[in-house]
C-alpha cells in the first residue's frame, strides 16, 4: 500500500512510535518521515495553532523515522509497531451532510424507503421524475430555494434532507470524538446492525482554535443507509461508532503550492475491491458542492459554537452508489473484507479495510492517555 502523495507540498501527520508507546507529529521531508514533536509542538493541535504551521513544519528540528512509504507499508489493521495514525488528535471530527444534489436525493430515498434497499429504486425513479436536475442551480437559503420548497411540499416530496440541502442551515454533526478516527491502513468499522451501507469519499478540512482553515486531507464518512433511513434520530448510531471514521493519509497544509481554491476544484476517486472480486468505482467532484467550504466552516464554528482545540470538518460527498452488487434492485452494500481506496491527486490515497465495528481494534487511547504519555516524555 502506497500513499500516492504528490512530490510537492507540505504534508504533516501523526505516527504511533512503538519506542515511545505513544504518538508523534511527523512531516514529510523528501522520502523521509521526520518526527518534529517537541515542547512547542507536542500535538497536531499545537502545530495548527501556530501563525504559520507550514513554515514551522518545514524548518523544525526533528528525528528521521525512515522512509515514509515504509511507515505506510507497516500501517495495517493488526499493526502494533510504529505506524501511521489519523492526522487529527485533540480535534473532534465534525461532518457536513447533504451538500451535493445527488447525495441529497439519495438521502430522500433512504428516508422514503425506511431503510429498505429493495424499495429504493422505485422511489428513486419517482423523485427523479419530480425533481430532475432542478435543484442543481439552487443556492441554499435563497428566495428561489424557498419558492422551490413550497412547490415540493405541494408535490408531497418535501423531506428533512431537502430542508438542509436547500434551506439556509447546513447539516453539521459529530462524526468522531477526539483521538477516535483511524488512519491509513487501519480497519474501518460497520455497526453490526447495518445491512445496507457504503463508503463516502470526502475532503476533510483542518481548522485551528480560531476557525482558520489550515489544510486539507481525505476522509471516509462511513454511511449506514438503513440505520439513518429508519429515523434521523438514529444519526448518532449510524455515524459515530468504533472505527467508523477514517482520515488521512496525511494533512496537506496550505502554503504557496496549495490553497482552499485547490480544495474547491478537487476531484476524488473511489475504488472498492471485494474479496469476491467485485469492484466498485466512483467519483466526487468538489466543483459541484452546493455550499462553499468557507460557509460550512462558518456554520460550524463562530459566536454560536467554539472549538478551543480546533476541529476537522468533512465536507460531504457527491458519491452515492446505486449499482447492484448481488441481486437486481438490491443496490450496493459493503461486504466484510472490502478494501476502500479514496484518492485525490493533491492529497494522496487513503486505504482501509472494512470490518465490523465490534471486530475492529477497540479504541483505548483517548485524550487522557495522550496527556499522560506526553507528560512522561517531558513534552508538557
Amino acid at each position: 500500500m502506497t500513499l500516492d502523495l504528490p512530490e510537492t507540498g507540505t504534508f504533516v501527520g501523526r505516527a504511533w512510535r512503538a519506542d515511545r508507546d505513544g504518538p508523534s507529529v511527523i512531516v514529510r521531508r523528501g522520502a523521509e518521515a521526520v518526527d518534529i514533536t517537541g515542547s512547542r509542538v507536542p500535538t497536531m493541535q499545537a502545530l495548527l495553532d501556530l501563525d504559520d504551521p507550514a513554515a514551522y513544519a518545514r524548518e523544525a528540528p526533528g528525528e528521521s523515522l525512515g522512509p515514509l512509504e515504509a511507515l505506510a507499508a507497516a500501517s495495517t489493521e493488526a499493526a502494533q509497531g510504529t505506524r501511521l495514525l489519523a492526522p487529527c488528535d485533540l480535534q473532534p471530527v465534525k461532518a457536513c451532510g447533504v451538500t451535493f444534489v445527488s447525495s441529497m436525493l439519495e438521502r430522500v430515498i433512504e428516508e422514503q424507503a425506511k431503510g429498505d434497499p429493495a424499495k429504493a429504486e422505485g422511489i428513486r425513479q419517482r423523485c427523479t421524475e419530480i425533481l430532475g436536475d432542478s435543484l442543481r442551480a439552487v443556492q441554499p437559503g435563497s428566495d428561489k430555494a424557498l419558492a422551490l420548497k413550497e412547490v415540493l411540499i405541494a408535490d408531497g416530496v418535501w423531506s428533512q434532507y431537502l430542508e438542509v440541502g436547500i434551506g439556509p442551515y447546513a447539516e453539521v454533526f459529530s462524526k468522531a470524538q477526539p483521538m477516535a478516527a483511524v488512519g491509513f491502513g487501519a480497519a474501518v468499522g460497520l455497526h453490526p446492525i447495518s445491512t445496507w451501507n457504503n463508503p463516502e469519499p470526502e475532503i476533510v478540512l483542518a481548522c485551528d482554535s480560531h476557525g482558520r482553515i489550515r489544510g486539507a486531507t481525505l476522509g471516509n464518512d462511513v454511511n449506514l443507509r438503513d440505520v439513518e433511513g429508519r429515523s434521523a434520530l438514529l444519526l448518532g448510531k449510524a455515524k459515530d461508532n468504533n472505527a467508523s471514521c477514517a482520515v488521512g493519509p496525511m494533512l496537506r497544509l496550505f502554503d504557496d503550492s496549495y490553497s482552499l481554491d485547490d480544495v474547491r476544484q478537487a476531484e476524488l476517486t473511489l475504488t472498492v475491491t471485494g474479496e469476491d472480486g467485485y469492484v466498485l468505482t466512483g467519483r466526487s467532484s468538489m466543483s459541484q458542492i452546493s455550499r462553499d467550504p468557507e460557509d460550512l466552516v462558518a456554520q460550524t464554528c463562530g459566536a454560536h459554537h467554539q472549538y478551543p482545540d480546533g476541529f476537522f470538518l468533512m465536507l460531504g460527498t457527491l458519491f452515492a452508489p446505486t449499482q447492484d452488487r448481488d441481486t437486481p434492485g438490491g443496490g450496493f452494500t459493503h461486504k466484510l473484507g472490502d478494501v476502500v481506496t479514496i484518492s485525490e491527486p493533491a492529497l494522496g490515497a487513503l486505504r482501509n479495510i472494512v470490518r465490523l465495528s465490534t471486530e475492529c481494534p477497540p479504541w483505548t487511547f483517548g485524550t487522557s492517555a495522550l496527556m499522560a504519555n506526553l507528560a512522561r516524555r517531558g513534552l508538557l
Side-chain angles (χ1 to χ4, degrees):
M1 298 193 299
T2 61
L3 303 179
D4 296 335
L5 298 176
E7 293 184 1
T8 59
T10 307
F11 285 90
V12 295
R14 295 171 61 245
W16 181 269
R17 290 195 58 171
D19 57 341
R20 302 288 191 270
D21 197 29
S24 287
V25 179
I26 63 171
V27 62
R28 183 191 69 172
R29 291 181 182 163
E32 301 287 301
V34 177
D35 184 346
I36 59 171
T37 310
S39 57
R40 187 177 182 190
V41 176
T43 62
M44 181 63 70
Q45 180 273 330
L47 174 63
L48 297 184
D49 255 21
L50 297 177
D51 289 337
D52 192 342
Y56 181 87
R58 289 192 298 266
E59 301 166 3
E63 173 190 358
S64 175
L65 301 182
L68 180 58
E69 288 295 347
L71 191 60
S75 303
T76 64
E77 60 176 319
Q80 297 295 314
T82 300
R83 61 194 184 277
L84 287 176
L85 301 172
C88 43
D89 46 35
L90 295 179
Q91 306 93 340
V93 179
K94 307 292 287 188
C96 299
V98 203
T99 53
F100 291 82
V101 171
S102 294
S103 63
M104 177 170 58
L105 294 181
E106 286 300 311
R107 298 295 87 77
V108 174
I109 290 163
E110 288 167 12
E111 181 184 43
Q112 297 295 317
K114 304 300 183 185
D116 183 355
K119 297 179 181 178
E121 186 55 35
I123 297 169
R124 184 176 294 111
Q125 292 177 2
R126 177 172 175 268
C127 287
T128 301
E129 289 171 0
I130 296 173
L131 301 177
D133 289 330
S134 62
L135 297 177
R136 189 173 300 277
V138 176
Q139 179 67 35
S142 65
D143 290 342
K144 184 177 180 180
L146 296 177
L148 179 59
K149 175 179 178 178
E150 297 305 317
V151 173
L152 294 173
I153 290 174
D155 283 337
V157 294
W158 185 251
S159 161
Q160 59 196 345
Y161 295 106
L162 288 169
E163 177 67 43
V164 295
I166 64 175
Y169 306 115
E171 178 190 20
V172 183
F173 58 88
S174 295
K175 179 61 183 180
Q177 306 306 309
M179 308 292 293
V182 301
F184 178 90
V188 67
L190 304 172
H191 196 292
I193 67 173
S194 175
T195 59
W196 185 24
N197 43 67
N198 63 263
E200 291 194 336
E202 307 190 15
I203 294 286
V204 186
L205 298 180
C207 300
D208 69 7
S209 62
H210 304 287
R212 297 176 295 186
I213 307 170
R214 295 308 209 169
T217 184
L218 299 172
N220 182 359
D221 176 7
V222 179
N223 181 27
L224 307 185
R225 302 189 69 174
D226 49 352
V227 177
E228 184 177 350
R230 291 172 200 156
S231 170
L233 298 182
L234 292 175
L235 183 65
K237 183 175 286 295
K239 290 295 187 181
D240 186 2
N241 302 294
N242 181 40
S244 63
C245 178
V247 180
M250 299 185 77
L251 172 65
R252 184 166 186 175
L253 296 175
F254 288 168
D255 57 16
D256 291 340
S257 71
Y258 188 71
S259 71
L260 190 59
D261 284 337
D262 295 292
V263 170
R264 293 185 175 106
Q265 299 302 315
E267 296 286 339
L268 287 74
T269 58
L270 168 80
T271 303
V272 178
T273 305
E275 293 180 336
D276 55 359
Y278 176 87
V279 176
L280 171 73
T281 59
R283 304 184 67 84
S284 184
S285 176
M286 283 293 296
S287 64
Q288 297 187 45
I289 197 168
S290 59
R291 299 182 191 269
D292 188 76
E294 283 189 317
D295 175 54
L296 293 172
V297 169
Q299 293 214 31
T300 304
C301 178
H304 64 289
H305 199 318
Q306 296 77 46
Y307 291 85
D309 293 314
F311 58 97
F312 275 47
L313 182 65
M314 308 184 87
L315 298 181
T317 184
L318 177 65
F319 174 74
T322 59
Q323 70 187 63
D324 296 331
R325 182 166 192 173
D326 291 316
T327 60
F332 170 85
T333 194
H334 269 308
K335 292 186 177 181
L336 301 183
D338 282 351
V339 175
V340 179
T341 302
I342 298 170
S343 303
E344 205 282 326
L347 298 174
L350 173 64
R351 294 184 176 90
N352 300 94
I353 189 167
V354 176
R355 304 295 187 198
L356 294 178
S357 290
T358 51
E359 296 178 357
C360 294
W363 174 36
T364 60
F365 195 90
T367 303
S368 60
L370 173 64
M371 295 298 103
N373 178 267
L374 293 176
R376 287 195 301 270
R377 293 157 61 183
L379 297 173
L380 293 182

